[in-house]
Amino acid sequence: MTFYDFLVSEEDLSRQTHVRFQLPPTCRTRHNLANLPEAVRLPDSCRVAQEYERAVIFRLGRVKPGGARGPGLFFVVPCIDSYKKIDLRTLSFEVPPQELLSKDAVTVAVDAVVFFRISNATISVINIEDAARSTKLLAQTTLRNILGTKTLTEMLSDRDVISLQMQTTLDETTIPWGVKVERVEMKDVRLPHQLQRAMAAEAEATRDAMAKIIAAEGEQNASRALAEAADVISMAPCAIQLRYLQTLNSISSEKNNTIVFPFPMEMMSRFIRNQKKHVMKRISTLKYS
């Protein structure tokens, strides 16, 4: 079996109704294909599309009925048919960084990645000149339009929501082009250096304020606890002595050189009263002298 016998049989030739000549009887068998004229040899009419490709065939400038051909072997008539192969695999491109003004008047630079594929090869050839380039330009304008309605906080915290909104908007616009936008991801949100320093200072001041508030709340709670403890101790006169002994025990348990001498507070109060009387007597003596 020759190469021509493997590619085409007599039944295949009968289905190619677009051939505009009548084969002689001697050329209708599969063993006499080599006797065809040079202009209509089989290799000039056979084309192969890969598994991920589709071929849109034009006959005399009009799309051939039946849709795109492929994958596998398809036939064209030399000098009459022309075709264009379309890749159906998922493609990706990076959206260049777009400098824009957010809703809260902050200048940012945002870039993204778009993943898309050709869903209808015939429409992508007929309705638009360059589907990939048009999708890339549309992604740039869509990114600017959507992020212009968002605040800086929303850009930083709601990336998934913004990406989904961009994907939906792009997909609705590219359907007439035969393009399916599968995914949109925001890569980075760049801020000016001055704004970064200002935000860092603001965050530091906020943390300091929160630390002071927490410390003040702790002191307030401690004061309330001490007041409640004083009320409890005041109900039992011996409780202060027990608390005093407990404090001495906790201090003595530590390995230190501190020596604590208990001193009765009653003696101190009596001494203070006597000292006060002596001072008042001395003042009165100096006044009348």
Side-chain angles (χ1 to χ4, degrees), residues 112-243:
V113 181
V114 179
F115 300 88
F116 72 99
R117 61 179 175 85
I118 303 298
S119 59
N120 191 315
T122 303
I123 294 178
S124 66
V125 173
I126 297 174
N127 292 355
I128 192 165
E129 180 182 2
D130 192 340
R133 181 173 177 273
S134 300
T135 304
K136 183 175 182 179
L137 295 176
L138 180 63
Q140 296 180 17
T141 58
T142 304
L143 179 64
R144 297 178 66 90
N145 294 337
I146 292 179
L147 294 183
T149 61
K150 304 294 182 180
T151 62
L152 179 61
T153 304
E154 293 174 344
M155 293 182 193
L156 297 177
S157 59
D158 299 335
R159 292 193 176 190
D160 295 338
V161 177
I162 296 175
S163 299
L164 182 60
Q165 185 178 358
M166 286 186 58
Q167 177 185 347
T168 304
T169 304
L170 287 174
D171 199 21
E172 291 176 355
T173 308
T174 56
I175 285 178
W177 301 348
V179 176
K180 171 66 177 177
V181 178
E182 296 182 340
R183 192 176 182 86
V184 178
E185 290 292 341
M186 292 178 57
K187 290 179 60 178
D188 191 15
V189 179
R190 300 186 183 92
L191 303 177
H193 295 291
Q194 295 180 354
L195 181 60
Q196 292 180 10
R197 290 194 294 268
M199 293 179 64
E202 180 183 0
E204 184 177 0
T206 303
R207 288 193 298 268
D208 292 342
M210 291 298 297
K212 292 180 180 179
I213 292 173
I214 293 173
E217 290 177 352
E219 292 180 358
Q220 184 180 8
N221 295 332
S223 301
R224 291 176 180 174
L226 288 175
E228 294 176 359
D231 294 337
V232 174
I233 291 174
S234 64
M235 296 177 183
C238 296
I240 187 63
Q241 297 297 333
L242 294 175
R243 180 60 180 166

Side-chain angles (χ1 to χ4, degrees), residues 6-277:
F6 177 77
L7 289 178
V8 181
S9 63
E10 184 175 2
E11 182 181 359
D12 294 329
L13 287 176
S14 62
R15 288 201 299 264
Q16 302 301 316
T17 57
H18 61 270
V19 180
R20 300 299 185 180
F21 57 86
Q22 181 70 28
L23 291 177
T26 58
C27 296
R28 292 181 182 178
T29 61
R30 58 189 301 181
H31 299 286
N32 294 328
L33 292 177
N35 297 328
L36 291 174
E38 187 69 22
V40 293
R41 288 280 181 89
L42 190 59
D44 295 335
S45 302
C46 293
R47 299 292 185 270
V48 176
Q50 302 294 333
E51 183 68 28
Y52 53 84
E53 291 179 335
R54 297 295 183 271
V56 180
I57 302 177
F58 294 88
R59 171 163 297 173
L60 298 177
R62 300 180 65 87
V63 177
K64 189 175 179 181
R69 270 54 172 183
L73 186 68
F74 63 96
F75 297 92
V76 296
V77 177
C79 303
I80 297 178
D81 292 344
S82 61
Y83 67 94
K84 183 176 182 180
K85 288 184 179 180
I86 303 298
D87 195 335
L88 300 185
R89 293 177 292 184
T90 300
L91 305 176
S92 63
F93 63 85
E94 294 185 1
V95 180
Q98 304 293 313
E99 292 188 0
L100 51 95
L101 191 66
S102 64
K103 188 177 180 180
D104 52 352
V106 178
T107 303
V108 295
V110 184
D111 54 356
V113 181
V114 179
F115 300 88
F116 72 99
R117 61 179 175 85
I118 303 298
S119 59
N120 191 315
T122 303
I123 294 178
S124 66
V125 173
I126 297 174
N127 292 355
I128 192 165
E129 180 182 2
D130 192 340
R133 181 173 177 273
S134 300
T135 304
K136 183 175 182 179
L137 295 176
L138 180 63
Q140 296 180 17
T141 58
T142 304
L143 179 64
R144 297 178 66 90
N145 294 337
I146 292 179
L147 294 183
T149 61
K150 304 294 182 180
T151 62
L152 179 61
T153 304
E154 293 174 344
M155 293 182 193
L156 297 177
S157 59
D158 299 335
R159 292 193 176 190
D160 295 338
V161 177
I162 296 175
S163 299
L164 182 60
Q165 185 178 358
M166 286 186 58
Q167 177 185 347
T168 304
T169 304
L170 287 174
D171 199 21
E172 291 176 355
T173 308
T174 56
I175 285 178
W177 301 348
V179 176
K180 171 66 177 177
V181 178
E182 296 182 340
R183 192 176 182 86
V184 178
E185 290 292 341
M186 292 178 57
K187 290 179 60 178
D188 191 15
V189 179
R190 300 186 183 92
L191 303 177
H193 295 291
Q194 295 180 354
L195 181 60
Q196 292 180 10
R197 290 194 294 268
M199 293 179 64
E202 180 183 0
E204 184 177 0
T206 303
R207 288 193 298 268
D208 292 342
M210 291 298 297
K212 292 180 180 179
I213 292 173
I214 293 173
E217 290 177 352
E219 292 180 358
Q220 184 180 8
N221 295 332
S223 301
R224 291 176 180 174
L226 288 175
E228 294 176 359
D231 294 337
V232 174
I233 291 174
S234 64
M235 296 177 183
C238 296
I240 187 63
Q241 297 297 333
L242 294 175
R243 180 60 180 166
Y244 179 67
L245 294 175
Q246 185 181 3
T247 305
L248 292 179
N249 185 24
S250 62
I251 293 174
S252 62
S253 63
E254 298 178 359
K255 295 180 179 181
N256 51 32
N257 297 325
T258 304
I259 300 175
V260 180
F261 293 97
F263 192 82
M265 298 299 296
E266 291 81 1
M267 295 180 61
M268 289 294 298
S269 60
R270 184 176 181 181
F271 176 78
I272 293 172
R273 287 196 300 270
N274 293 336
Q275 185 69 19
K276 185 176 180 180
K277 290 179 181 179

